[in-house]
Amino acid sequence: MVLEKKNIYLNQKPDSKENIIRKIGAIFSSQGYTNEAYTQAMLDKENIFNTYMGNSVALPHGIEEAKKDIKKTGIVLITVPDGQDWGAKEKVKVIIGIAAVGNEHLDVLSKIAISFSDADGINRLLTMSEEEICTMFD
């Protein structure tokens, strides 16, 4: 399972984008998804390219060179119903950190694109439980 219930953080308060990325990186490294260098790789990616994807979704992930720092594929999902500043024109309500081995991220990204292609999908997610979200990603 790519998204485990313990890696879903619902109804979080806004923080700095960097702190949220550091939190995601700490979760990845503490659970063996990545080594600690991956956190910096996610911050580096954000400096090069804003990972805001539209529809109130951000997808922080590492730069290409950081593939070597990933041990297994996983995602961390955070919801911020009040909106998180992500340096884009609109605030982010769903943040999905991705660490993927090889091309495994393509499956994850396609599920995200299908689930969150419109505002209704985001609003639905904001009302779901951890169990319901896990089922959606399975």
Side-chain angles (χ1 to χ4, degrees):
M1 180 184 300
V2 176
L3 177 60
E4 295 183 57
K5 186 176 163 187
K6 66 182 176 183
N7 292 333
I8 299 172
Y9 297 83
L10 302 178
N11 304 313
Q12 300 296 297
K13 297 285 178 235
D15 197 349
S16 73
K17 177 168 62 167
E18 291 75 17
N19 283 347
I20 291 172
I21 291 172
R22 287 182 200 287
K23 176 179 180 175
I24 293 168
I27 293 164
F28 280 150
S29 64
S30 70
Q31 295 181 22
Y33 290 100
T34 67
N35 65 33
E36 291 174 9
Y38 193 71
T39 301
Q40 187 58 51
M42 287 192 297
L43 291 166
D44 291 346
K45 177 72 172 192
E46 205 61 50
N47 287 331
I48 297 166
F49 176 81
N50 189 317
T51 58
Y52 169 75
M53 296 293 152
N55 271 345
S56 303
V57 178
L59 301 173
H61 56 282
I63 55 175
E64 190 65 29
E65 295 78 24
K67 288 273 186 202
K68 68 184 183 321
D69 299 319
I70 301 169
K71 300 173 185 176
K72 63 182 181 180
T73 298
I75 61 179
V76 172
L77 188 143
I78 299 171
T79 66
V80 186
D82 293 338
Q84 168 64 47
D85 180 22
W86 209 260
K89 65 182 178 218
E90 73 174 338
K91 292 194 179 216
V92 168
K93 294 184 179 181
V94 179
I95 303 156
I96 304 171
I98 302 174
V101 174
N103 288 326
E104 290 179 6
H105 66 291
L106 298 177
D107 288 340
V108 173
L109 291 174
S110 69
K111 284 181 183 173
I112 292 167
I114 292 165
S115 301
F116 309 134
S117 60
D118 58 26
D120 288 343
I122 296 299
N123 291 332
R124 211 170 26 255
L125 176 88
L126 293 173
T127 66
M128 294 169 87
S129 69
E130 288 98 337
E131 291 85 3
E132 291 168 321
I133 293 169
C134 279
T135 302
M136 186 175 79
F137 275 85
D138 249 356

